[in-house]
Amino acid sequence: MGIKTALPAAELGLYSLVLSGALAYAGRGLLEASQDGAHRKAFRESVRPGWEYIGRKMDVADFEWVMWFTSFRNVIIFALSGHVLFAKLCTMVAPKLRSWMYAVYGALAVMGTMGPWYLLLLLGHCVGLYVASLLGQPWLCLGLGLASLASFKMDPLISWQSGFVTGTFDLQEVLFHGGSSFTVLRCTSFALESCAHPDRHYSLADLLKYNFYLPFFFFGPIMTFDRFHAQVEPVRREGELWHIRAQAGLSVVAIMAVDIFFHFFYILTIPSDLKFANRLPDSALAGLAYSNLVYDWVKAAVLFGVVNTVACLDHLDPPQPPKCITALYVFAETHFDRGINDWLCKYVYNHIGGEHSAVIPELAATVATFAITTLWLGPCDIVYLWSFLNCFGLNFELWMQKLAEWGPLARIEASLSVQMSRRVRALFGAMNFWAIIMYNLVSLNSLKFTELVARRLLLTGFPQTTLSILFVTYCGVQLVKERERTLALEEEQKQDKEKPE
């Protein structure tokens, strides 16, 4: 009853028509709302002059995005360009010292940005976890790593350690938390891999080369130590240069698309004015909630796309950007940082959950995983709620899967045609899709805005709005399933061709 089941072309065409029309209708509502609210007093701080020659203002509510591409744009370009240049020179002159160049250049960049005392602070954490790795006890390494992470997330230690940063600037807090937290995860990965492979005798130098690789240092993504160590020696893969050029081109296109989008749709500012948001049509409100998650994915894809382009030039195979929210209808595939997801799966989730088919071990695995995720994000009420909801969603999927395998329900599904079974599963996928949106909207926007969306779509809009949006989402899920089916068939055909005759 899987995704290999094909649906009639006419049915898929209908789904495409319904989905396209619904998105266009919701988009028109958002565009009109953005135009009407452009001059509202509540929008004054986050809607600033943009394309003045056509009278368009720009949504600048996301200060990180604005900083990346305004005041810090030249700094980022200069730092990454310097990394690429020195890496190329080192490859030509002394290729065996290339990995050392990564560490030295990265450490100097960190010191120049955050100050020498911050660099010494991170070196202290690195040495502490390296010493723990020499004892060969994984539980000690993981425990010390989590304690180090907690020291950067909770007072009074966070206030004390933030004092090691030299000077003040706009992105100081972001760079402090990013550099510190990723350093702890990388050092923990190193320590755990050292315990798992004591015969390889990893050194402190290996840890420093891994941790101070500049493209990954502040914003990730994180590569586990075993993957980084295996790839750090330069080996150019076939077709890699074409892939790098395509990746760079897509990142530029995405940046331009976001800039254009923010001149017409104020999706980040509108939710901050609940009175104005409450006046939106139901379709526009649903589109607003959906677009907030899509933007967060685009933001992560652009950030990781730029960083990954530089990493690919260094012959690494970094974690790919997260899967687009549009293609997600199961909690098991939901994540906004593939590197963090891989780290958690390798060292916590898979280690405790095993095959993820038993209810109790899966519950223990998800609770442990989201407990660490809560610590990573910074413990607070909204993070507690977000973690609880997503932990529940992940377990609820397994419970429903077990229920579907129960005798009476399994016999009912077996009596259905494979196409009808796919339609039934897509209906549940549509409901799951909106659960994913609502559960993550809590942290990406605000609890009050999430409550507004839930009340309008589920209570005051029932049944017309609720069923309409559910049907549109069902159409989208079916199209995603069709894309997955096509990719699975192409992969099977590729494997068949590679098999020796």
Side-chain angles (χ1 to χ4, degrees):
M1 307 295 182
I3 67 172
K4 293 184 179 180
T5 305
L7 294 178
E11 183 177 345
L12 293 173
L14 175 63
Y15 294 155
S16 300
L17 183 63
V18 170
L19 182 61
S20 301
L23 289 176
Y25 184 72
R28 190 184 72 170
L30 276 178
L31 178 61
E32 293 175 350
S34 299
Q35 292 174 336
D36 294 340
H39 300 286
R40 286 177 62 86
K41 185 177 180 180
F43 287 14
R44 191 171 298 167
E45 291 296 322
S46 55
V47 177
R48 301 287 180 83
W51 296 339
E52 295 183 0
Y53 50 89
I54 61 172
R56 300 300 313 181
K57 292 188 175 183
M58 182 181 181
D59 191 339
V60 295
D62 187 348
F63 84 97
E64 285 184 7
W65 180 272
V66 173
M67 289 295 174
W68 288 344
F69 298 105
T70 54
S71 57
F72 273 81
R73 177 186 57 202
N74 294 336
V75 175
I76 294 172
I77 293 175
F78 177 78
L80 293 181
S81 298
H83 171 90
V84 173
L85 177 62
F86 282 109
K88 185 63 176 178
L89 290 174
C90 195
T91 301
M92 295 170 61
V93 177
K96 292 185 179 180
L97 298 178
R98 181 187 178 96
S99 57
W100 271 112
M101 189 285 301
Y102 292 156
V104 173
Y105 183 85
L108 290 176
V110 172
M111 184 173 64
T113 305
M114 308 292 284
W117 293 110
Y118 177 75
L119 178 63
L120 289 175
L121 172 67
L122 296 188
L123 286 173
H125 284 274
C126 291
V127 171
L129 278 160
Y130 171 72
V131 172
S133 71
L134 298 178
L135 301 177
Q137 299 295 325
W139 64 269
L140 177 62
C141 295
L142 183 60
L144 181 59
L146 295 179
S148 295
L149 183 61
S151 73
F152 287 111
K153 299 296 180 179
M154 294 185 289
D155 279 324
L157 288 177
I158 184 176
S159 299
W160 175 68
Q161 292 184 106
S162 63
F164 283 79
V165 179
T166 302
T168 57
F169 48 93
D170 291 332
L171 280 180
Q172 176 179 312
E173 185 176 354
V174 175
L175 296 181
F176 171 79
H177 285 290
S180 305
S181 301
F182 278 114
T183 289
V184 171
L185 291 191
R186 284 188 289 262
C187 292
T188 305
S189 176
F190 169 87
L192 292 173
E193 293 298 332
S194 295
C195 294
H197 306 285
D199 55 310
R200 298 181 182 176
H201 305 293
Y202 297 127
S203 66
L204 178 60
D206 293 323
L207 172 58
L208 298 180
K209 295 173 188 177
Y210 168 53
N211 184 62
F212 288 102
Y213 179 69
L214 183 62
F216 293 164
F217 184 81
F218 286 111
F219 299 111
I222 186 171
M223 288 179 69
T224 54
F225 175 75
D226 57 326
R227 290 185 59 197
F228 182 88
H229 188 72
Q231 298 174 22
V232 74
E233 296 302 326
V235 177
R236 180 70 70 193
R237 294 177 293 275
E238 183 180 355
E240 188 176 24
L241 286 176
W242 179 90
H243 174 75
I244 291 172
R245 287 193 292 266
Q247 179 87 23
L250 286 174
S251 298
V252 172
V253 170
I255 293 170
M256 295 173 61
V258 171
D259 189 72
I260 294 171
F261 186 85
F262 279 161
H263 279 87
F264 292 91
F265 299 92
Y266 305 149
I267 61 169
L268 302 181
T269 297
I270 292 176
S272 63
D273 187 348
L274 293 180
K275 291 183 179 179
F276 184 76
N278 196 35
R279 296 207 302 263
L280 294 178
D282 290 343
S283 58
L285 188 62
L288 181 61
Y290 165 74
S291 60
N292 266 256
L293 266 74
V294 171
Y295 165 70
D296 194 76
W297 170 79
V298 172
K299 180 179 174 181
V302 167
L303 174 61
F304 294 146
V306 172
V307 170
N308 286 357
T309 299
V310 177
C312 288
L313 288 172
D314 293 332
H315 314 282
L316 298 177
D317 183 19
Q320 296 304 302
K323 191 173 182 180
C324 180
I325 184 65
T326 304
L328 292 176
Y329 54 89
V330 290
F331 278 91
E333 298 179 0
T334 303
H335 52 266
F336 293 92
D337 186 327
R338 199 180 295 270
I340 297 294
N341 181 74
D342 293 346
W343 192 98
L344 288 169
C345 286
K346 181 171 186 177
Y347 300 123
V348 182
Y349 184 57
N350 292 338
H351 183 74
I352 299 175
E355 297 296 325
H356 305 293
S357 57
V359 173
I360 300 302
E362 177 70 2
L363 179 61
T366 53
V367 169
T369 300
F370 278 100
I372 296 176
T373 305
T374 299
L375 183 60
W376 163 261
L377 294 174
C380 64
D381 291 344
I382 202 67
V383 173
Y384 295 147
L385 178 60
W386 175 86
S387 294
F388 171 79
L389 292 173
N390 282 271
C391 183
F392 169 77
L394 192 56
N395 281 277
F396 189 72
E397 280 183 349
L398 178 62
W399 302 340
M400 291 299 99
Q401 180 182 337
K402 293 295 184 182
L403 184 61
E405 295 171 357
W406 181 49
L409 292 180
R411 287 192 292 272
I412 292 174
E413 185 176 18
S415 67
L416 302 175
S417 66
V418 288
Q419 291 181 337
M420 185 56 67
S421 175
R422 170 173 160 171
R423 295 184 183 105
V424 172
R425 286 176 176 265
L427 180 61
F428 285 98
M431 292 186 285
N432 219 31
F433 178 86
W434 275 99
I436 291 172
I437 288 181
M438 301 303 292
Y439 290 179
N440 288 281
L441 196 62
V442 168
S443 63
L444 294 179
N445 201 287
S446 69
L447 180 58
K448 291 183 177 180
F449 178 66
T450 306
E451 291 174 348
L452 172 63
V453 175
R455 184 175 68 252
R456 287 280 300 279
L457 301 188
L458 298 178
L459 299 178
T460 60
F462 186 84
Q464 182 176 352
T465 297
T466 307
L467 296 180
S468 298
I469 291 177
L470 185 62
F471 176 66
V472 171
T473 309
Y474 165 83
C475 294
V477 170
Q478 286 288 24
L479 294 175
V480 171
K481 282 178 172 284
E482 186 62 23
R483 175 61 176 166
E484 291 174 345
R485 187 187 73 85
T486 302
L487 292 176
L489 291 177
E490 290 177 353
E491 184 64 25
E492 283 187 1
Q493 294 172 357
K494 182 180 178 180
Q495 293 176 357
D496 291 340
K497 289 180 180 180
E498 292 176 352
K499 287 182 181 179
E501 296 182 359

